Amino acid sequence: MSAGAGGPCATAPGPGELVAVAPGIHWTQIPIPGMLRTVNAWLFEDDDGWTVLDCGSDTPAGRAAWDALLAGPLGGERFARIIVSHAHHDHIGLAGPLARRLGVAVWTSGAEWQAALRRRQESTAGHDGVLAYYRSLGCTEADARGYIETRATGTRNMTDLPEDCILLGEGEEIRLAGRPWRVMTGGGHSPEHVVLHCMADGILVTGDQLLPRITPFIGVDPSDPFADPLGSYFAALDRFAAIDDGTLVLPGHGMPFEGPASRAAETRLHHERRLAAIEAEISRPRTGYDVARVLFPRAMGGAHERLAISETVAHLNHAVVTGRLTRETGADGVHRYATA
Ligand SMILES: [Zn+2]
C-alpha cells in the first residue's frame, strides 16, 4: 500500500491492472459509460478462491477489461464467488457473464436482486405508469418520453443477469481475504445496498453508499412515487458516522480514503443544505418539475434532467414525511408542494 497526498493509495490501477490496498485485497477499475468513467472492483484473495466485488457495465470495454485481467494478473487463479453491492448497471451489469465464465455464484441482498429482475422486465413492459408519474410532477408528455428513453439506455447494460443469486442479509458474517466481515445493508442510493465492514482491520467496502468527492444519487423511482429514500439514506449515514474515522474506505467509484464518519457528516450536510434550499424556494405551491429547474439549472436535458427530477422528488418527499412541506394533488393530477 502506498501512502501519498492523494490518500491511502496514491495511484489508481490502469486498465487490466491490480493494485494491492491491504494484505489479500486488490483493486481494479472497469470502464463504464457516463461521467464517472470507471467503477471500482475489489478482489479478495483466499485459499479456496478469489472473491470479486462489483463487476462493471455489460459493454465491450467492460468485457475487455476483464479479458485483460483474466489473461494477466488473475490468469490461472481460482474464484469462489461474485458479490454485487447493488443492482445498478455499473455494478451488476457484467455479473451474469462473469459468473458463467468463472463458474461461480453471485451474492447480493434480496431487495437488490428483486430490483435487478424488475429493471430487466422494464425494457419489455408498457410505460403508462411511468408516464403518469412524470405528469404528476408537472412534466410534459414529450419530456416524460425522453426520460423513459434515457432510463432504458442504462438498462441495456444489465440485461444478461445471472440465473439466480445467493442472498446476503443484514448482520451476516462472511470471511474474505482471511478476515471476518459484517454485512451492513441500507437504503437511499438503492433499496438494500450491501456494505462490508471488517472491524478487526478497520476496512469498510461501501459501494456507492459513501463516496469520496461526490455524493451518491438519491432518487425516487417511478415504481414507488411517495417513498422516502433520503430518510433511509440518513439512517445509513448515521451508521457510518458511528464507525472509527481511522477506517479505510474502499468505495464504488474514485480513490480509497480514510474517515467514513467525516465523509458521512459532509454528505449529510450536502442534503440538509439542499432541503433548506428547497424550502426557501417554495414561497408558493410548486411542482417537482418547477423545483428541479431551480435546484439544477444546468442539469436540464436528457438523462441529467431525469436524475435531477428524481433527486428533487427525494428531497420533497422527505420534507413531506418530516412535516416540513405539504403535498396537494390538484384536479389535473399534478402534485404541488408548499411550506407546512
Ligand atoms: Zn455506481
Side-chain angles (χ1 to χ4, degrees):
M1 179 168 23
S2 57
C9 310
T11 314
E17 285 177 10
L18 289 184
V19 166
V21 293
I25 307 179
H26 306 266
W27 173 28
T28 191
Q29 292 192 314
I30 307 296
I32 55 169
M35 277 190 320
L36 293 175
R37 299 202 331 266
T38 59
V39 69
N40 293 331
W42 304 100
L43 292 114
F44 301 84
E45 194 180 346
D46 281 291
D47 291 341
D48 64 342
W50 292 56
T51 296
V52 175
L53 190 142
D54 287 341
C55 301
S57 301
D58 190 0
T59 63
R63 288 184 181 238
W66 283 108
D67 286 345
L69 286 163
L70 292 168
L74 291 172
E77 296 295 348
R78 270 205 307 154
F79 289 84
R81 66 185 68 75
I82 293 171
I83 298 176
V84 169
S85 64
H86 66 296
H88 291 170
H89 68 84
D90 50 330
H91 300 260
I92 201 173
L94 274 171
L98 199 57
R100 282 195 296 277
R101 182 169 180 180
L102 304 179
V104 298
V106 174
W107 299 28
T108 194
S109 69
E112 294 298 335
W113 178 237
Q114 289 306 317
L117 295 176
R118 217 172 30 244
R119 196 74 196 269
R120 181 173 57 181
Q121 279 163 4
E122 248 177 51
S123 46
T124 53
H127 298 301
D128 289 356
V130 182
L131 280 173
Y133 167 75
Y134 284 119
R135 280 199 301 265
S136 77
L137 301 178
C139 305
T140 66
E141 174 110 6
D143 281 342
R145 291 197 184 278
Y147 307 147
I148 290 169
E149 177 50 36
T150 66
R151 189 172 155 89
T153 305
T155 307
R156 273 197 280 279
N157 300 323
M158 57 173 281
T159 50
D160 191 4
L161 291 176
E163 283 72 44
D164 48 26
C165 187
I166 294 179
L167 300 185
L168 280 167
E170 167 66 34
E172 223 171 286
E173 199 171 272
I174 57 174
R175 283 193 79 80
L176 299 173
R179 302 167 175 83
W181 300 79
R182 177 80 58 187
V183 175
M184 293 169 65
T185 61
H189 181 62
S190 62
E192 195 185 2
H193 192 301
V194 173
V195 167
L196 299 178
H197 184 203
C198 175
M199 206 185 295
D201 287 358
I203 309 173
L204 189 67
V205 184
T206 56
D208 288 358
Q209 280 288 71
L210 197 63
L211 293 170
R213 295 187 305 110
I214 56 167
T215 58
F217 168 73
I218 306 297
V220 168
D221 192 87
S223 66
D224 194 3
F226 302 127
D228 176 21
L230 186 57
S232 307
Y233 189 55
F234 281 156
L237 289 177
D238 285 348
R239 296 181 73 191
F240 294 139
I243 293 175
D244 186 287
D245 229 11
T247 298
L248 173 66
V249 179
L250 306 180
H253 303 272
M255 303 293 282
F257 62 98
E258 278 176 3
S262 304
R263 187 61 192 143
E266 289 166 6
T267 304
R268 182 181 254 280
L269 188 63
H270 161 82
H271 291 289
E272 296 285 5
R273 287 196 175 126
R274 184 155 286 165
L275 284 166
I278 286 177
E279 277 180 75
E281 186 50 38
I282 297 183
S283 51
R284 62 189 167 80
R286 310 291 295 271
T287 67
Y289 183 74
D290 292 338
V291 178
R293 286 183 71 97
V294 175
L295 281 191
F296 300 96
R298 288 195 305 267
M300 298 319 269
H304 295 298
E305 184 165 310
R306 171 172 61 79
L307 298 175
I309 290 170
S310 179
E311 182 130 6
T312 299
V313 176
H315 288 77
L316 289 168
N317 283 3
H318 185 69
V320 170
V321 166
T322 53
R324 292 161 73 161
L325 293 181
T326 61
R327 175 178 49 228
E328 301 276 348
T329 306
D332 54 0
V334 175
H335 307 309
R336 289 179 182 78
Y337 299 84
T339 20

